[in-house]
Amino acid sequence: YQYPLMFGLILAFCWCSLVCCSRIYMGMHSILDVIAGFLYAILILVVFHPVVDLIDNFNLTYKYAPLIIISLHLALGIFSFTLDTWSTSRGDTAQILGCGAGVACGSHVNYIMGLQLDPPPHTLPLSLSSLTVTVFGKAILRLLIGVIVLLLTKVAMKKATIPLACKIFRIPHDDVRKARQRMEVELPYRYITYGMVGFSLMFIVPCLFHFIGLS
């Protein structure tokens, strides 16, 4: 979409500031952590930006891309943490990796089925449509339906994955909070649950919108 550059810069600055400040406010990270993370994000952007289209094309078109994506993200979640004591960082990382894998797999399915294809190059950049009551109403309805579906997906997967992981690894689940802190439960629970949330976001919810005429 074509929008003013200054608007994009202000939006990006505000969003970045809110994320960074929330980490400090919640006591999750120090100011030095946030600065290091910000610089690390810039490094990642510099390295990966030139190959984004290549990676995106691989994710969409390669036959076994979903298998590779799921395996790679799962391996990162398993081998990236060796904790002496429990920390929310491990679960947060598994949550991010699972959501990313779900989004990538949902995009792959969309492409294979011919859904939500990119607009032709000659139509770009797209212009923002005028805001009418109908457009605003549809946007709010889409938001409400989408949030409800994603919340239901999260709740359903959480109810299913935690007892299943406890049963597989023979971990008592009388105290669910304590059981969730075990790596054997936390990683599959977070990964599978938020993987399905990401997949629903990219595939199931848009299909639902198309079915009820809210596309």
Side-chain angles (χ1 to χ4, degrees), residues 49-142:
H49 186 268
V51 293
V52 163
D53 288 337
L54 184 65
I55 296 173
D56 188 51
N57 185 66
F58 171 82
N59 288 345
L60 293 178
T61 61
Y62 186 59
K63 182 178 180 180
Y64 299 106
L67 182 61
I68 295 173
I69 292 167
I70 293 173
S71 301
L72 178 61
H73 285 223
L74 190 57
L76 287 172
I78 294 173
F79 297 111
S80 62
F81 276 96
T82 52
L83 300 176
D84 295 329
T85 58
W86 179 78
S87 168
T88 58
S89 298
R90 182 173 61 195
D92 292 342
T93 301
Q95 182 174 316
I96 293 168
L97 290 170
C99 192
V103 167
C105 290
S107 299
H108 178 83
V109 174
N110 281 333
Y111 182 85
I112 296 301
M113 296 184 65
L115 306 173
Q116 295 186 346
L117 297 177
D118 290 337
H122 70 270
T123 63
L124 301 178
L126 302 175
S127 58
L128 295 173
S129 58
S130 57
L131 184 62
T132 62
V133 175
T134 302
V135 171
F136 182 76
K138 278 190 173 184
I140 295 299
L141 190 57
R142 284 165 58 95

Side-chain angles (χ1 to χ4, degrees), residues 2 4 57 74 83 91 119 122 131 154 165 168 178 187-188 192-193 204 214:
Q2 185 69 47
N57 185 66
L74 190 57
L83 300 176
H122 70 270
L131 184 62
K154 177 186 173 183
I168 291 175
K178 187 175 180 180
L187 287 182
I192 295 173
T193 297
I204 296 176
L214 279 177

Side-chain angles (χ1 to χ4, degrees), residues 172-191:
H173 60 277
D174 300 331
D175 188 345
V176 176
R177 184 175 181 180
K178 187 175 180 180
R180 283 174 52 183
Q181 294 181 3
R182 295 283 297 270
M183 179 178 176
E184 301 92 330
V185 176
E186 185 177 39
L187 287 182
Y189 145 61
R190 294 275 194 142
Y191 188 86

